Amino acid sequence: MKRILLIVGGGIAAYKACELVRLCRKAGIGVKCVLTEGGQHFVTPMTLAALSESQVYTTLWDLKDETEMGHIQLSREADLVVVAPATADLMAKMAAGIADDLATTLLLATDKPVLAAPAMNVRMWQHAATRRNVATLRTDGVTVLEPDEGPMACGEYGPGRLPEPDAILAAIQNALETGGRLKGKHVLVTAGPTHEPIDPVRYIANRSSGRQGFAIAEALARLGAKVTLVSGPVALATPAGVTRVDVETAQEMANAVASALPADAAVMVAAVGDWRADAAPQKIKKGAAPPNLQLSENPDILALLAKSPHRPKLVIGFAAETEQVIEHATAKRARKGADWIVANDVSGDVMGGDANTVHLVTAQGVEHWERLPKSEVARRLADRIADAL
Ligand code: C5P
């Protein structure tokens, strides 16, 4: 049986940790809980003990606990350490290596993978200190899930809500998955549209919803890959276990892609805006004549990546076409230096819809995947990527 050590931090979202324990037990995962002092203000050790069917640990200074199961052993006997909710304070201590209570001592002493599910007020999540700490933790190899966005207990709205327990469970199962075919591989995915500003309130965009790219990121993570998802502005939740980098413009996307390297494979699904405007510093006033927009060309992220010295082993592009789909995709494959092109017939209701008809163009030829749900296109593509790596 796989086992996790669940560290429950002090935030209102701690009540959701109870549901997480229940789901883990139902999924056959053993759970031992550590409750921080703050956490005890929100849930009781008794609740977690009953749900986990195991003793709950709350302090470093309990002689009986310490003689029966030393804290070093507690930190190492699990297959995975999960921090949920990971408060701003807990993550700051983790990033700094502070060990001033049982939870932080265990986190410093563990030699097991660590997964953190953050929950905090939106301003705390967006604060430069938290941004820095999250970046440090990710560099240190901690999987930090993206919080959900929505109304908060404090009355504000934004990112900072604890991901739903079933999403955390999926991330746990993903992290515990030892036989994932893409384990140890890093795959970079771009998704969504870009927004190219014209002035502070207007932008040029396109109809991409990001759904196909997000589905691909999710399918890759399910196979155990470490996935970096560089996303333009979309209204989609981050798939469990995926590291998401949000960008607006093509230039920002190009920079985010470059900083995410090295990668074993890249799947460029984003509908990158081909042109950018010289954005006016102030809102353009409606005048007698419409403004003359000066457009310049955006970098071709896919083509640059395919030519770069850090080129991933497998570079996959997408091609949205409304006519002569395969001919255009074949030409695009050669022109951009991609290994595969997934040609997308967008003459119908594909953009924003659920289904997709695609043609996989490789050096070996063309395969046709007719009217499949986007999740199935994603699953098949992830499977093919696993074969190729
Ligand atoms: O040339 P076109 O935009 O049709 O090519 C589509 C493919 O190229 C997609 O994989 C898209 O993500 C990628 N692309 C890019 N950077 C651009 C334009 C397209 O990465 N500036």
Side-chain angles (χ1 to χ4, degrees), residues 30 69 119 166 190 212 231 263 275 301 308 345 367 376:
M69 159 91 86
D166 57 351
T190 66
Q212 184 64 76
S231 176
W275 309 285
I301 306 168
S308 113
D345 187 342
E367 271 179 48
E376 180 59 19

Side-chain angles (χ1 to χ4, degrees), residues 340-343 358-362 365-369 381 384:
W340 304 348
I341 290 280
V342 182
V358 304
H359 312 277
L360 180 64
V361 181
T362 70
V366 187
E367 271 179 48
H368 308 282
W369 298 349
L381 190 64
R384 296 297 298 271

Side-chain angles (χ1 to χ4, degrees), residues 231-282:
S231 176
V234 295
L236 295 173
T238 310
V242 166
T243 303
R244 172 170 171 179
V245 183
D246 281 319
V247 298
E248 270 192 28
T249 65
Q251 189 57 58
E252 285 169 16
M253 188 173 276
N255 295 344
V257 163
S259 3
L261 296 174
D264 298 285
V267 194
M268 316 297 272
V269 197
V272 184
D274 289 318
W275 309 285
R276 67 175 174 276
D278 246 341
Q282 304 299 336

Side-chain angles (χ1 to χ4, degrees), residues 190-192 194 250 253-254 257 267-275 297-305 316-321 328 332 335-336 338 340-342:
T190 66
T194 60
M253 188 173 276
V257 163
V267 194
M268 316 297 272
V269 197
V272 184
D274 289 318
W275 309 285
E297 206 168 316
N298 271 330
D300 190 317
I301 306 168
L302 171 61
L304 285 174
L305 184 71
I316 305 169
F318 267 64
E321 305 287 355
H328 283 156
K332 194 166 289 181
R335 192 171 67 242
K336 300 214 180 199
W340 304 348
I341 290 280
V342 182

Side-chain angles (χ1 to χ4, degrees), residues 296-378:
S296 42
E297 206 168 316
N298 271 330
D300 190 317
I301 306 168
L302 171 61
L304 285 174
L305 184 71
K307 273 193 281 182
S308 113
H310 307 291
R311 185 191 199 278
K313 180 173 169 212
L314 185 62
V315 175
I316 305 169
F318 267 64
E321 305 287 355
T322 54
E323 49 159 8
Q324 294 178 284
V325 175
I326 291 162
E327 292 78 355
H328 283 156
T330 309
K332 194 166 289 181
R333 182 178 163 273
R335 192 171 67 242
K336 300 214 180 199
D339 297 298
W340 304 348
I341 290 280
V342 182
N344 219 349
D345 187 342
V346 291
S347 53
D349 55 0
V350 165
M351 290 245 172
D354 257 330
N356 214 347
T357 289
V358 304
H359 312 277
L360 180 64
V361 181
T362 70
Q364 280 73 46
V366 187
E367 271 179 48
H368 308 282
W369 298 349
E370 299 283 341
R371 272 205 88 73
L372 297 174
K374 286 180 176 172
S375 56
E376 180 59 19
V377 170

